[in-house]
Every structure is written in C-alpha cells, then in structure tokens.
C-alpha cells in the first residue's frame, strides 16, 4: 500500500517566488488528502501533477491565511471543472461562514455536495474513519485555535502461508479465520497453531502533521509511534525569542521534541520556513545535531511513510 506525503508549500506567512505557503498532500493508495491550502496551492498542484479529482478530503489546521487562503480558489476550480463528487472539509468552525460568504458574494452555487466538519474544541478526536485509515486531530499550541492531524493505517489481517495451510489440510473456506488469528482444529481434533500457518501483518504506519506550534511536550503523546512527523521550524535557533513571541518553533525545539517522542525510530520532516532565511540547508544541519533523521520539506518532493524513504517527482 502506497503511503506518502508530497510537499506543495514549505514557507511560512509571506509567499516568496520560490517558496509557497503551507500545503501538502498525503497519498494513500489512490486517495489524496490535502493538508492545509495556502495561497498558490493550485499552481503547485499543476506543477507537481497532483490530480485534483483524487482529493475528497481537505484538512485545514487553523485560520491564519498562510494555511487556507488558497482554499476558495480550489473550491471554485472544482466547481468550474464540473466536479460532482462530495468534498469533505475539516477545519475550525469559523471557516464555514467565511466560505459561505465568499460563495454568496460571487453568486456561486456549488454543483457538488460540500460537507463541512467543524472542529470546535481543542481535543484529540477521530474525524474521519475510512476503510484503511483513521484520521484524527489534536490541538497544538498556537496564537489561535490550531490542530495537527494524524493519519494512521488500520491494522491489517495476518497473511496465510498457502503452502503450509495446504500441507496441514486446512480447507480454503477456513483461510478467513486464519487471517483473523484463529488456530485450525482438524477433524481428528488436532490443534494447529495459527502462528505456524500465517505471518503477522506489517506494523500499521503513522504520519503526524503538527501544524503551527510553540514547543510543547504535550504533543509527544500524539507524535509517539509515528513513522514520520512533520513539525514546523519557522526559525533557526538563534531566533528563539522571536519564535516564542510568535508562537512558533525553532530547529532545535522541533528536533528535541522528535527525539523525546520517537527515540531512535521514525523521521522528522521540517517546514514552514520564515521568508527571512534565503538558504534552508542550515535548518536541516541544526536539527540533525539533536535528531539525525531530519529532512527538509522540499516542494515537489514525496516522502514515503515507512520505507523506502524518499522519492523526487
Ligand atoms: Zn503558518
Ligand atoms: Zn499560524
């Protein structure tokens, strides 16, 4: 099962010619989940060949413009391209009236159902329960109500080793029970342990998007067990005071949180870089002094969740 994230925008508040505000696409099999939608997201989608029609779910972390100013444009394009499939938006409650006003002032009637899922309370909760994935939100510590999102694979069934099952005389009709972990009892009463006939499923994979936030150790509980964590590093460590003033994090803070939450497993992806910095390599270098498995969120790059690691598109 393909599980990855593609970066569309890696900058913070002010767009620059070569760095767009926050947006990324989580890919799971044939589905694409859009996480934040800063200005220019549509342009980045075209550039990196993300098919808009694959997107049925959009997650907006908070209502600072660098995370949603591209949304009304995207919704409008969906409408112009004759979309008929339902679109689900998960976002702080106020966004619903903002969108309604924008549509109303343009006398736009949507040709597809738009389901708005209002996030009102700063608490961890499951917001989408899909066949293979569970998606939940959790509060981060920012200047306004802000949510991170967790994409977690559902546990898969055990894998039947057909050769061994045949040798043991297990009828094919019982394979489903084997997949669910049951032992096989032969007609003569012989118990054949499940573990000798099946292999365990791979560990469910997990991606955690931490949105905008101050350094906050209460996030460890949500981050732990992730294969990949996205954490903002708006500032280098030398600008720690500025980070605290503006409810953002530095490189060393993000890496410290990753180290505390992940130990020696998992990887850290960093983004939301301030426009004051021209070069990004130093962000990666600073983080790696604390958490070696740190990688820059590069626009257009796709990062696999679990292995193999990274692929450029
Ligand atoms: Zn931001
Ligand atoms: Zn913000």
């Amino acid at each position: 099962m393909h599980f990855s994230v593609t970066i569309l925008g890696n900058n913070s508040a002010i767009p620059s010619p070569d760095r767009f505000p926050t947006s990324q696409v989580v890919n799971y099999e044939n589905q694409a989940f859009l996480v934040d939608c800063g200005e220019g997201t549509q342009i980045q989608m075209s550039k990196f060949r993300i098919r808009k029609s694959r997107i049925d779910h959009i997650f907006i972390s908070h209502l600072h413009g660098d995370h949603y100013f591209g949304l009304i444009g995207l919704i409008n394009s969906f409408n112009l391209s004759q979309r008929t499939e339902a679109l689900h938006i998960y976002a702080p409650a106020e966004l619903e009236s903002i969108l309604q006003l924008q549509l109303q002032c343009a006398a736009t009637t949507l040709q597809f159902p738009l389901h708005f899922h209002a996030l009102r309370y700063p608490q961890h909760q499951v917001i989408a329960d899909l066949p293979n994935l569970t998606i939940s939100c959790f509060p981060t510590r920012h200047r306004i109500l802000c949510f991170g999102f967790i994409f977690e694979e559902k546990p898969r069934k055990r894998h039947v080793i057909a050769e061994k099952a045949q040798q043991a005389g297990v009828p094919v009709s019982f394979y489903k029970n084997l997949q669910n972990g049951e032992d096989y009892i032969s007609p003569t009463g012989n118990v054949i342990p499940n573990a000798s006939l099946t292999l365990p499923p791979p560990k469910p994979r997990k991606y955690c998007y931490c949105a905008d936030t101050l350094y906050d150790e209460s996030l460890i509980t949500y981050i732990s067990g992730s294969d990949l964590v996205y954490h903002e590093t708006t500032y280098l460590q030398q600008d720690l005071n500025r980070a605290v003033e503006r409810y953002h994090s530095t490189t060393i803070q993000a890496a410290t949180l990753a180290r505390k939450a992940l130990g020696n497993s998992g990887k850290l992806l960093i983004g939301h870089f301030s426009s004051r910095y021209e070069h990004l390599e130093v962000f990666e270098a600073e983080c790696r002094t604390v958490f070696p498995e740190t990688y820059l969120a590069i626009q257009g790059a796709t990062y696999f969740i679990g292995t193999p690691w990274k692929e450029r598109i």
Side-chain angles (χ1 to χ4, degrees), residues 66-67 212 272:
D66 55 324
H67 296 259
D212 287 9
H272 200 268

Side-chain angles (χ1 to χ4, degrees), residues 20-202:
F20 284 68
T22 302
S23 185
Q24 50 183 253
V25 176
V26 175
N27 309 287
Y28 191 85
E29 282 298 278
N30 297 322
Q31 281 192 291
F33 303 92
L34 185 65
V35 179
D36 281 337
C37 188
E39 196 178 337
T41 294
Q42 290 196 79
I43 294 169
Q44 296 292 77
M45 281 181 172
S46 315
K47 189 171 169 188
F48 302 125
R49 300 177 200 284
I50 304 291
R51 273 194 293 125
K52 290 194 190 86
S53 59
R54 285 171 57 219
I55 296 172
D56 294 331
H57 302 265
I58 299 176
F59 301 83
I60 302 294
S61 61
H62 66 301
L63 297 186
H64 282 154
D66 55 324
H67 296 259
Y68 85 99
F69 278 174
L71 184 59
I72 190 67
L74 179 61
I75 290 172
N76 199 51
S77 295
F78 279 143
N79 213 32
L80 292 173
S81 60
Q82 318 292 324
R83 180 189 177 104
T84 53
E85 297 80 19
L87 180 68
H88 295 263
I89 297 177
Y90 308 78
E94 295 89 342
L95 182 60
E96 186 170 21
S97 46
I98 295 172
L99 293 175
Q100 274 171 357
L101 182 63
Q102 287 175 311
L103 294 171
Q104 188 187 320
C105 292
T108 299
T109 304
L110 294 181
Q111 304 302 312
F112 58 89
L114 194 156
H115 300 293
F116 192 89
H117 304 261
L119 309 179
R120 297 177 195 282
Y121 309 106
Q123 63 189 29
H124 179 225
Q125 58 179 315
V126 172
I127 51 176
D129 188 13
L130 305 176
N132 294 318
L133 276 184
T134 303
I135 305 166
S136 56
C137 70
F138 61 93
T140 71
R141 207 157 142 218
H142 199 36
R143 197 153 52 79
I144 56 174
L145 185 65
C146 183
F147 296 93
F149 300 107
I150 300 169
F151 294 79
E152 209 163 358
E153 247 183 336
K154 288 189 175 170
R156 284 197 253 160
K157 292 177 188 275
R158 296 183 70 86
H159 174 75
V160 177
I161 310 166
E163 202 179 45
K164 293 205 171 172
Q166 279 165 12
Q167 278 169 9
V170 181
V172 175
S173 60
F174 195 79
Y175 281 18
K176 272 195 172 160
N177 306 53
L178 290 182
Q179 287 178 323
N180 291 330
E182 280 184 43
D183 293 335
Y184 176 67
I185 303 169
S186 72
T188 56
N190 207 11
V191 177
I192 304 171
N194 185 284
S196 68
L197 302 171
T198 66
L199 292 171

